[in-house]
Amino acid sequence: GAGVSQSPSNKVTEKGKDVELRCDPISGHTALYWYRQSLGQGLEFLIYFQGNSAPDKSGLPSDRFSAERTGGSVSTLTIQRTQQEDSAVYLCASSLMTGRRNTEAFFGQGTRLTVV
Amino acid sequence: AQRVTQPEKLLSVFKGAPVELKCNYSYSGSPELFWYVQYSRQRLQLLLRHISRESIKGFTADLNKGETSFHLKKPFAQEEDSAMYYCARGGSQGNLIFGKGTKLSVKP
């Protein structure tokens, strides 16, 4: 497809289980971002990739959260031992970097994670 | 730290009234600045960016370097403008830093 694709669109998991969220960015986009959107909390930055490397991991809330990107394309966000406070919509976005200038970021539809 | 501050979580106006959504950014050279919008049940999408100096859906945003602000304005709000609005800036490492967002509610 032409846009950013995230899977699954919805995920319900039991507390303590691990989950993997996937993001397929727009082909050719070198920058990839993960954000978390909680009710009433706005947009929380998690991690940013430039190619396969992550120059900014400052937003990851704890060591239970990790992310990787392979081949400069698909990215996976993993949450280990999920907790109820991890429940949120996880958004992925990608953009085409021109030098160090940002171009428009395109967002996926998000993965709604519910931890029960 | 590079920050974007949107002081209002919720802004409620009547249809036809002017609207201004505030955004302040931490100073760091000449950052790129953007406004993103999320309508109900839709994806977050770009509304406008400061380098384009454009007006989209009647919205404009003026960069004030002295006040480090990039407020979003529209002279006459419409009901379809009701949405979540996010101000964002480019970071020094090429990342995008977003504010917490302002929910705009336009009443009939």
Side-chain angles (χ1 to χ4, degrees):
Chain A
V4 177
S5 178
Q6 291 186 247
S7 61
S9 54
N10 277 286
K11 177 72 177 179
V12 180
T13 190
E14 291 180 352
K15 178 181 171 182
K17 300 276 190 185
D18 298 352
V19 294
E20 279 192 356
L21 311 181
R22 179 188 167 104
C23 173
D24 279 278
I26 291 173
S27 178
H29 279 193
T30 53
L32 186 147
Y33 315 84
W34 282 99
Y35 295 91
R36 181 165 71 175
Q37 192 174 37
S38 305
L39 191 62
Q41 297 298 314
L43 208 57
E44 178 187 2
F45 168 75
L46 297 177
I47 189 170
Y48 154 68
F49 287 93
Q50 181 61 255
N52 289 337
S53 65
D56 190 352
K57 303 179 183 179
S58 63
L60 294 177
S62 74
D63 58 9
R64 295 187 295 105
F65 287 72
S66 63
E68 64 175 15
R69 188 181 186 194
T70 55
S73 181
V74 172
S75 176
T76 303
L77 177 68
T78 302
I79 310 173
Q80 295 178 309
R81 305 180 303 281
T82 52
Q83 303 294 313
Q84 287 185 327
E85 61 262 29
D86 299 335
S87 297
V89 176
Y90 288 81
L91 293 174
C92 176
S94 71
S95 71
L96 181 64
M97 288 292 293
T98 304
R100 293 180 64 80
R101 306 294 289 182
N102 295 96
T103 61
E104 178 179 353
F106 292 84
F107 281 80
Q109 81 283 11
T111 293
R112 182 175 295 279
L113 176 65
T114 304
V115 182
V116 298
Chain B
Q2 295 173 336
R3 290 195 190 91
V4 174
T5 303
Q6 293 181 252
E8 303 137 330
K9 273 193 170 181
L10 175 64
L11 186 62
S12 186
V13 301
F14 285 102
K15 176 182 171 182
V19 62
E20 180 180 71
L21 293 97
K22 292 184 169 53
C23 173
N24 288 88
Y25 62 93
S26 55
Y27 177 75
S28 175
S30 299
E32 301 158 284
L33 293 158
F34 309 85
W35 275 99
Y36 281 78
V37 60
Q38 188 172 29
Y39 300 103
S40 179
R41 298 188 186 87
Q42 292 188 29
R43 301 184 184 205
L44 200 59
Q45 59 187 287
L46 179 68
L47 180 62
L48 54 80
R49 70 190 83 186
H50 90 275
I51 58 172
S52 301
R53 298 179 181 274
E54 56 201 344
S55 173
I56 303 293
K57 298 183 179 182
F59 283 97
T60 57
D62 293 323
L63 175 62
N64 185 322
K65 291 186 177 181
E67 295 181 357
T68 60
S69 69
F70 188 56
H71 303 329
L72 183 69
K73 300 177 184 179
K74 185 169 182 177
F76 308 103
Q78 303 300 313
E79 288 180 69
E80 56 265 30
D81 295 329
S82 295
M84 195 75 182
Y85 291 80
Y86 293 94
C87 182
R89 64 162 288 168
S92 58
Q93 297 189 73
N95 55 339
L96 269 178
I97 302 164
F98 283 83
K100 294 291 188 184
T102 298
K103 183 175 182 180
L104 174 65
S105 175
V106 181
K107 299 177 180 178

